[in-house]
Amino acid sequence: MTTRTSTAKQETYAAGQCARDLLAQVGFANLSAQARSDHPALAWRRAGLMDVTGFAEGEGLVSPVALTSAADGALAAFSALAPEAPLPLNGALLLGERARMRGLYRAGAVSPNGTCRLIATADAHIGLSLARESDWDLVPAWLCCDASRWPEIEAVVATRRAQDLLDRAHELGLPVAKSESAPAASPFEITRLGRTCSAPARAPLVVDLSSLWAGPLAGVLLAQAGARVVKVESTRRPDGARAGHGDFYALLNGGKESVGLDFHDPAGVADLHRLIAAADIVIESARPRAMEQLGVEAEAQAAAGKVWVSITGYGRGGEAAARTGFGDDASVAGGVASAMLRHWDAPIFAGDAIADPLAGLFAAVAAWAGWRAGGGWLVSVPLAQAARYACSVCETDDVRGWQASALKDTAPLYPLRRPSGAVRPLGADTAAVLSSLTARA
C-alpha cells in the first residue's frame, strides 16, 4: 500500500488508508476509521521530531517516509475498535514524547539518546546499540580485537563486511542491525490458535509483563480503552525504565496496578502462572526462551483463549528469536536510516528509537482486536517489522518541499499528554491483586 506523493490531501489519505488496512488485517474491515492526520512534514515538526533528526550543527530535518501517518493510522484504527476511549490527540504525538520530555537533541549518525550509532562497513551501514554495560563487554569478542571506544570500533568495522559482522553479533547476542529497505505488508503476525467466542461483557484483565517503551505504551492505551492493567515485574530485575525519566515512566505506567514477584522462587513463579491464567490479554517483551524458562508457553496460552502479545526486536521464530534489539537498531533494520540516506545523502537517525512507539501502537490495535474477537490469538510484533511497515505506508518524492513546509510552519507543538494516574511503587498491589484473583475464580 506504499504511496509516493506530496500533497496534504493525499498524505491524510495515507493515514486513513493505513487505518483501514490495519482494521482489515485484524478482521474488522467493516469498521470505519477517521484518521486525524496533519501532513507528515508538519506532523513531524509539531511532534518535536525535527529536534532529533539531522546533524547537531544544522537545521532539523523531516523524515522522507511518513512515519507520522503510520502512527496516526494506527491510532485511528484503535479508536475505531474502542470508540469511547479518551485516546491521545494523534499517533504522531507519541513518536516525539520521550525526546521532548528528556530534552534530547539530534546528533546525525548518533542516536539522540547516545546509545546507538550508524557505522559504515566495507559494503553497507550498520546500527550498533551499546546501551548496557554487558554490550560493551561483548565488543572485543565481536571484533576479535581490543577496541573499547567508539572511534576504535568504527575504524575496525569499516574494514569488515556487514553480513559477517551481523552473523557474529547474533551469535553473541549483541544488538546490531543492517541498514536496508524491505517493505512489510503488516506490522505484526497474527496466529489464531484458540476457539473464537464472543467477547465478554466485562472489561479485559491485561497482565503487562513488558518493560521499557513499546509494551508499556500498548498497556497504557489498553487501560485508556477501559482495561484493567496489572504491571508485573521481577523484584530482582524490575523494569529498567523505573530508574529513568520519572515523568516519561509515569506517562507509560501511571494508573496500572503493580505486582512484584521473585521469579527465582517457586512461589513467585506459581503466582505468575495464576496471573496469566486469569488474564484476557498478556503483553510481554522478552525473547521466547525467557518465558519458556518460567514454564510459560505463549502458544498454549493463546490456544486456551488468551490474546498473547509478544513484542521482540526481530521476531519469535528461527534465528530472529534469539536476537536482541532496541528501538534504535530496530529502526535501522526497518529501513528508516536507508530512507534518510536515499533522500538526505547521509546516514542519519530519524527520531528517537522510533520503532518503539510504532510497535506499541500496533500492539495495542492487535491486542484490543483480538480480545473483541473472542481471544485465542498469538500476536508477534517485532520492532523492526513495525518500522518496516511504517516506512511502507508513504514515501515522498519531494523531500525538499516537505522540508520547506516544515520550516515555514509556526503552529505550536502538540501538547504533551498527562499520566493516566499515579505510578505505584514496585509490588504495592501484589497482595490485593492475587487476592482478587481468588475472589474472581
Side-chain angles (χ1 to χ4, degrees):
M1 58 174 266
T2 302
T3 305
R4 297 185 72 96
T5 182
S6 61
T7 69
K9 181 178 179 181
Q10 289 171 315
E11 302 311 338
T12 301
Y13 171 78
Q17 180 57 41
C18 175
R20 291 188 289 274
D21 176 60
L22 289 172
L23 288 170
Q25 290 181 42
V26 294
F28 288 85
N30 60 320
L31 289 180
S32 61
Q34 184 64 40
R36 294 168 289 184
S37 184
D38 290 324
H39 184 283
L42 304 183
W44 192 259
R45 193 202 71 81
R46 294 170 188 176
L49 291 163
M50 291 185 77
D51 283 347
V52 284
T53 308
F55 292 102
E57 65 276 12
E59 64 189 12
L61 300 178
V62 297
S63 167
V65 283
L67 302 175
T68 56
S69 293
D72 288 342
L75 193 71
F78 188 72
S79 181
L81 292 165
E84 304 303 319
L87 296 176
L89 171 70
N90 55 31
L93 162 67
L94 305 181
L95 305 185
E97 284 181 321
R98 187 177 80 162
R100 290 171 63 187
M101 296 179 77
R102 292 178 56 183
L104 301 181
Y105 200 68
R106 56 184 178 270
V110 180
S111 65
N113 63 20
T115 63
C116 187
R117 296 199 180 196
L118 281 163
I119 306 175
T121 71
D123 58 353
H125 283 87
I126 60 170
L128 168 63
S129 287
L130 297 177
R132 304 165 298 184
E133 190 82 23
S134 58
D135 296 326
W136 282 98
D137 293 341
L138 291 171
V139 170
W142 176 49
L143 298 178
C144 300
C145 67
D146 291 331
S148 60
R149 296 181 301 138
W150 280 112
E152 297 168 348
I153 294 169
E154 291 168 348
V156 175
V157 165
T159 68
R160 310 279 179 86
R161 291 178 61 253
Q163 193 57 53
D164 294 338
L165 290 165
L166 260 65
D167 291 343
R168 180 64 175 156
H170 298 168
E171 290 176 6
L172 295 169
L174 193 63
V176 179
K178 182 181 177 182
S179 179
E180 53 190 345
S181 295
S186 174
F188 37 58
E189 297 169 6
I190 298 172
T191 306
R192 265 264 174 72
L193 295 173
R195 184 168 59 185
T196 302
C197 58
S198 59
R202 61 170 174 79
L205 171 62
V206 178
V207 169
D208 182 1
L209 296 163
S210 67
S211 60
L212 300 180
W213 193 350
L217 173 59
V220 82
L221 290 173
L222 296 179
Q224 290 175 347
R228 177 190 180 189
V229 181
V230 177
K231 183 175 180 66
V232 181
E233 299 169 81
S234 164
T235 53
R236 300 193 187 202
R237 192 178 179 184
D239 184 350
R242 276 189 180 270
H245 193 284
D247 289 342
F248 183 65
Y249 183 84
L251 202 60
L252 299 181
N253 296 287
K256 298 177 183 177
E257 297 169 77
S258 176
V259 168
L261 301 174
D262 184 349
F263 296 146
H264 293 271
D265 182 344
V269 174
D271 286 336
L272 172 65
H273 282 250
R274 287 178 58 207
L275 280 163
I276 291 175
D280 300 293
I281 300 170
V282 177
I283 304 171
E284 49 89 6
S285 55
R287 283 176 285 181
R289 70 183 183 191
M291 298 306 302
E292 292 167 2
Q293 289 170 352
L294 293 170
V296 179
E297 295 184 3
E299 291 81 2
Q301 295 297 328
K306 303 189 189 313
V307 179
W308 189 281
V309 181
S310 175
I311 299 174
T312 60
Y314 296 93
R316 292 183 55 83
E319 295 181 356
R323 289 184 64 181
T324 301
F326 296 99
D328 285 307
D329 58 270
S331 300
V332 171
V336 179
S338 293
M340 295 298 290
L341 181 60
R342 281 196 306 276
H343 292 272
W344 290 115
D345 303 319
I348 307 169
F349 280 96
D352 167 35
I354 210 158
D356 268 307
L358 287 168
L361 277 162
F362 295 136
V365 172
W368 199 255
W371 172 72
R372 280 197 50 182
W377 289 21
L378 174 60
V379 183
S380 171
V381 190
L383 299 179
Q385 187 171 331
R388 191 172 296 120
Y389 172 81
C391 287
S392 304
V393 169
C394 175
E395 181 172 346
T396 184
D397 287 323
D398 182 25
V399 73
R400 266 69 185 180
W402 279 22
Q403 179 74 5
S405 295
L407 293 175
K408 291 177 184 176
D409 184 44
T410 58
L413 298 185
Y414 299 134
L416 292 171
R417 295 183 298 144
R418 294 182 178 179
S420 299
V423 171
R424 301 288 289 162
L426 175 61
D429 305 300
T430 302
V433 169
L434 294 176
S435 177
S436 74
L437 299 183
T438 302
R440 178 175 171 176

